[in-house]
Amino acid sequence: MNGFGGFVVRRAAGAVVTLFALSVIIYVVFYVTPGDVAQITCGPRCSPAQVRQVAGQLHLDDPLYARYWQFLQGLVAGQDYSTGTSVQHCAAPCLGLSYQTDQQVLALILAKLPVTASLAVGSMVLWLIIGVGTGVLSVWRRGRLTERLLTTVTLAGMSTPVFVIGLVLMIVVCGQLELLPFPQYVPFTDDPEQWAWNLLLPWLSLALIESATYARITRAAMLETLAEDHVRTFRAYGVGERAVIGRHALRGALAPLIAVNANNIGVLFGGAVLTETLFGLPGIGREMVEAVKVVDLPVVVGMVLVTGFFVVLANAVADVLYAVADRRVVLT
């Protein structure tokens, strides 16, 4: 297939192959490791009978390829699990059952996903506005005091951990100034205003850190574009500096911005562990921390698979956006 449609099909096929390879790696890392996998999966409080039941569910006596096939079959077609008193069907994509709560891992993740999605989308909007705006302003005021100040601020932002920014904002904004409430997740469908008001502080914490990276990428890409021959030609024909920066130099920064944003938003959708834990938000990242604490292996594996899925999906979408921004990408 040729053209844009063929490009999209090729990128989609590549994403599927990547997800398959990812599932193999995750299975090997978590289920083909030294130690008693059944005991680790079931948890430290399980009785010998429960451990044997888990070993049967994981088909640990079967060859490795057969065990992986059962794992893959659960993802594609679903799987039946015995809970001791009954058989529970886990519909595809089945990520298994939590041995701490007997909940299906996918249902648990979907219950936490709106929190993480709210955090990811709101943060992305803010860091793009702040980061790209700062980068453009830095180029617009290049060679002046404004550029030096913005460069210093972005360097400081890139070197500051998110939990430091978050703690400072909570102490100052929530504690001393009392401008915002301490974050407490409110579903968007219940009260959109309170949803945004309570998430503003976590959004700012992530956005202030990430925007520093976007500012530097925007500035570097725009300066590189401004040094190209076609930009000098525009200036020679009398095109104003504002038009040169806004129409041509900024467009040159789109490709690296799309790449970085795809990776960041994919990881955030997979769970912003530090931010959710710091602000007490009941999202995927915080749930993963709790699963690691109690050694709930199916939940950990499911969370890692979901994180990988969102990263691969975000990068596949980024490839398509490359083609929209620059149709020459379709030919590669």
Side-chain angles (χ1 to χ4, degrees), residues 132-144 146-148 150-151 215 219 223:
V132 175
T134 301
V136 172
L137 181 60
S138 179
V139 172
W140 180 261
R141 306 293 292 178
R142 61 190 181 279
R144 303 181 187 181
T146 304
E147 181 192 18
R148 291 192 288 272
L150 291 175
T151 301
R219 177 180 179 275
L223 289 176

Side-chain angles (χ1 to χ4, degrees), residues 7 29 60 83 96 167 207 269 277 299 324:
F7 173 82
V29 168
L60 294 181
T83 61
L167 283 173
F269 263 97
T277 304
V299 177
V324 174

Side-chain angles (χ1 to χ4, degrees), residues 240-320:
E241 189 68 10
R242 180 176 299 179
V244 169
I245 291 177
R247 294 180 184 177
H248 305 288
L250 183 57
R251 185 170 184 176
L254 287 180
L257 286 175
I258 290 172
V260 174
N261 195 57
N263 185 68
N264 285 345
I265 198 67
V267 172
L268 271 182
F269 263 97
V273 176
L274 284 176
T275 307
E276 290 179 359
T277 304
L278 175 64
F279 291 102
L281 299 175
I284 291 177
R286 188 181 176 190
E287 185 65 29
M288 182 183 291
V289 172
E290 296 300 322
V292 171
K293 285 182 181 178
V294 297
V295 201
D296 197 346
L297 192 57
V299 177
V300 175
V301 173
M303 295 289 185
V304 174
L305 278 170
V306 168
T307 300
F309 169 78
F310 279 118
V311 171
V312 172
L313 177 64
N315 281 277
V317 173
D319 286 342
V320 176

Side-chain angles (χ1 to χ4, degrees), residues 126-127 130-132 134 154 206-216:
L126 283 181
W127 76 46
I130 298 172
V132 175
T134 301
T154 54
L206 277 170
L208 290 176
I209 298 297
E210 296 295 340
S211 62
T213 302
Y214 287 83
R216 290 193 54 85

Side-chain angles (χ1 to χ4, degrees), residues 25 32 34 166 215 236-237 282 310:
I25 294 171
V32 191
Y237 278 98
F310 279 118

Side-chain angles (χ1 to χ4, degrees), residues 89-102:
H89 179 70
C90 180
C94 179
L95 301 177
L97 296 181
S98 167
Y99 288 106
Q100 297 296 320
T101 63
D102 284 334

